[in-house]
Amino acid sequence: MTRSKHLIQALHLFSPSLPIGAFAFSQGLEAAIESQYVHDAETLKCWCDGVIRFSLITLDCHYAVRAYRADSESVFREVNAELLVSRETRELLQEELLLGAALKKWAIDQGADVPEAEEYSLVCLYGWISARYEIPEDWLISGILWSWLDNQMLVAAKAIPLGQNALQGVLAALKPVVTECVGLFAQSATTEAHSSVPLLSILSAQHETQYSRLFRS
């Protein structure tokens, strides 16, 4: 029963239905579609695979786990600040802050313990809240990767556009990638955080002046 309780908590926390507004952001994917780097199911799969391997698992999940393991509010604030300065464009930083603020409000409404901070990183709050809900670390990492991936499918459905069968095929192809990355993270969790997706940063900056767009990043 305890394991089931923690699983349900994890499903709730990382659900795309969580009212934090993640659906309004594309994490650079809309700009990649506009620039024709992503234009079909195969290029969408390659895009998501690259971001997961070379940014989410090496940067976001690194800080999420550090926040998960934080034994005081001061440690959380330090980790939180480091993650925020890692965001390379104005849009990606604003996305992090806005979703972090929304998650903070949700957590307080749920009666969860939230540390004091001037600004909140979404992924760091995911880590902190997961620890309070006793969600295992590997579920935290899986939840971050899968919720991001699920949101990318919603963006692709609207912006490419792709049908549900094609998108489900992309998700099916990327399941082993998520599983592999969760396992690799467990082996290299002590390495320094880093991100090596320069094209994502360039496209995110270009998106700030994109003439017509559906999403905020």
Side-chain angles (χ1 to χ4, degrees):
M1 288 298 293
T2 299
R3 184 174 176 82
S4 296
K5 174 184 175 182
H6 295 159
L7 174 59
I8 292 170
Q9 290 280 27
L11 291 172
H12 189 188
L13 179 59
F14 297 109
S15 169
S17 299
L18 199 73
I20 60 174
F23 63 87
F25 299 90
S26 82
Q27 289 247 332
L29 178 55
E30 185 175 32
I33 294 169
E34 177 71 14
S35 301
Q36 287 295 297
Y37 287 103
V38 177
H39 53 82
D40 58 13
E42 183 60 29
T43 51
L44 174 64
K45 179 172 71 72
C46 291
W47 170 269
C48 293
D49 185 298
V51 176
I52 289 172
R53 291 182 186 275
F54 303 115
S55 185
L56 291 182
I57 199 68
T58 58
L59 183 75
D60 294 51
C61 291
H62 175 94
Y63 280 108
V65 168
R66 284 182 60 190
Y68 182 98
R69 298 175 182 176
D71 56 7
S72 68
E73 292 194 7
S74 62
V75 173
F76 171 85
R77 284 191 288 270
E78 177 183 337
V79 174
N80 184 71
E82 287 184 23
L83 186 281
L84 291 177
V85 299
S86 75
R87 295 310 186 205
E88 296 180 306
T89 67
R90 180 175 61 87
E91 283 197 349
L92 293 178
L93 175 59
Q94 285 302 306
E95 175 181 356
E96 192 75 31
L97 292 172
L98 289 170
L99 295 184
L103 183 58
K104 173 201 171 185
K105 183 179 184 302
W106 175 86
I108 291 174
D109 289 345
Q110 298 297 310
D113 169 37
V114 177
E116 288 294 330
E118 290 186 11
E119 299 174 315
Y120 292 88
S121 152
L122 173 67
V123 297
C124 288
L125 264 187
Y126 270 148
W128 177 272
I129 295 168
S130 292
R132 272 74 209 153
Y133 283 167
E134 299 181 2
I135 294 169
E137 280 189 13
D138 58 334
W139 293 7
L140 162 65
I141 299 167
S142 300
I144 289 174
L145 297 182
W146 192 258
S147 63
W148 175 87
L149 191 56
D150 197 50
N151 192 63
Q152 295 287 277
M153 296 306 104
L154 294 176
V155 174
K158 295 179 181 178
I160 293 179
L162 285 177
Q164 284 297 322
N165 287 339
L167 294 172
Q168 289 301 316
V170 173
L171 284 176
L174 290 172
K175 282 181 184 178
V177 175
V178 173
T179 302
E180 176 190 351
C181 287
V182 172
L184 289 173
F185 182 87
Q187 301 172 25
S188 60
T190 57
T191 59
E192 291 187 3
H194 63 280
S195 177
S196 51
V197 285
L199 182 58
L200 172 59
S201 301
I202 292 169
L203 291 171
S204 176
Q206 292 176 350
H207 190 258
E208 294 177 9
T209 57
Q210 186 172 311
Y211 177 72
S212 177
R213 59 187 192 173
L214 299 172
F215 301 93
R216 297 186 63 178
S217 72

